[in-house]
Amino acid sequence: DLLYHKAMKKLGFNIVLLGMIASGKETQANILKKKYALKFVESGVYFRKLLKAKGSTGDLARRTAGRGNAGAMILMKKFLIREISKKPKNKDLLFLGNPRLKPEAQLLKKILNARKEDFFALYVTLPDKEVYKRSLTRKKGSMKEIYKVFDTEKIIKARIRFHKKQVSKTVKYFRALNKIKIINGNQSVPKVTKDILKAIEEYKNKSLR
């Protein structure tokens, strides 16, 4: 058991894992969770719950996230503050698929700065053609129900457009802070993992200096 505990070491900084649609973020996040002591912060799960919620919060979520756009900033802010304040002492946070908008990224940095905490971001790329191919494949498979709703060609197209227009601003922001590594997602899962681990270890060594 000692070996297991040794493997589950804290990084000393939080991870932001972003990426194009169907780029395998969840797969990679689960691999990272086995290697490091991480707690997931998934805005996707939060917004999917809100899409079913009654009342004005649910309405707001449906008007935004339900149409392939980003969730409303006010909902995201509430979510980030809540999740960061619940952070366990023995783990770092892994933000899976969020923050996607630049104002959300700025907010995340502000909250973490106030807590004297650091973060490192990764963005997994994928060509449009591959996005369609993977998205439509997972729609046919036994994947989560949510993909059957989200992955229609029309919504995939809207989501790709959103990524190129909006998420690219977030990537640029993290790049200016020197806190992001772009990962090629159009390769085998082990190869993507290898690139991600290398980037994390390099950042860790740099922050220890």
Side-chain angles (χ1 to χ4, degrees), residues 98-119:
N98 65 89
R100 294 190 305 168
L101 295 177
K102 188 182 169 185
E104 294 168 1
Q106 289 169 319
L107 174 71
L108 177 77
K109 183 178 181 285
K110 196 177 159 186
I111 300 170
L112 291 175
N113 276 358
R115 292 170 61 101
K116 296 190 167 43
E117 287 189 41
D118 193 17
F119 72 92

Side-chain angles (χ1 to χ4, degrees), residues 18-176:
L18 300 171
M20 195 28 113
I21 308 135
S23 60
K25 295 183 291 290
E26 278 183 39
T27 303
Q28 295 301 332
N30 285 317
I31 293 169
L32 289 178
K33 204 177 183 181
K34 287 190 182 108
K35 189 170 170 62
Y36 303 113
L38 294 164
K39 179 184 185 275
F40 282 10
V41 176
E42 293 181 81
S43 62
V45 173
Y46 168 69
F47 277 105
R48 291 202 277 274
K49 268 187 198 149
L50 289 185
L51 288 175
K52 294 175 187 157
K54 290 181 170 68
S56 57
T57 307
D59 290 342
L60 184 57
R62 284 184 285 278
R63 281 203 308 274
T64 51
R67 294 185 183 166
N69 299 315
M73 180 68 181
I74 187 166
L75 299 176
M76 189 55 138
K77 185 175 179 176
K78 208 166 129 182
F79 171 73
L80 286 176
I81 291 169
R82 189 188 76 196
E83 290 301 314
I84 295 169
S85 69
K86 288 195 317 194
K87 177 181 173 172
K89 279 193 165 50
N90 60 341
K91 289 183 179 182
D92 295 301
L93 299 174
L94 187 147
F95 296 88
L96 181 52
N98 65 89
R100 294 190 305 168
L101 295 177
K102 188 182 169 185
E104 294 168 1
Q106 289 169 319
L107 174 71
L108 177 77
K109 183 178 181 285
K110 196 177 159 186
I111 300 170
L112 291 175
N113 276 358
R115 292 170 61 101
K116 296 190 167 43
E117 287 189 41
D118 193 17
F119 72 92
F120 179 58
L122 298 141
Y123 185 88
V124 186
T125 63
L126 201 64
D128 294 6
K129 211 167 87 184
E130 194 61 25
V131 172
Y132 280 104
K133 203 171 104 185
R134 290 189 191 183
S135 299
L136 297 167
T137 307
R138 69 182 181 182
K139 184 181 165 71
K140 284 191 204 90
S142 58
M143 285 300 270
K144 294 177 185 165
E145 212 37 52
I146 186 68
Y147 294 132
K148 304 206 186 318
V149 182
F150 271 161
D151 292 347
T152 63
E153 289 210 23
K154 193 179 163 192
I155 290 185
I156 296 164
K157 193 177 176 182
R159 293 175 77 202
I160 290 174
R161 197 166 56 234
F162 167 78
H163 261 262
K164 289 186 174 167
K165 199 176 162 195
Q166 299 296 344
V167 186
S168 63
K169 292 178 187 169
T170 308
V171 171
K172 218 165 147 182
Y173 170 68
F174 285 150
R175 200 178 255 147

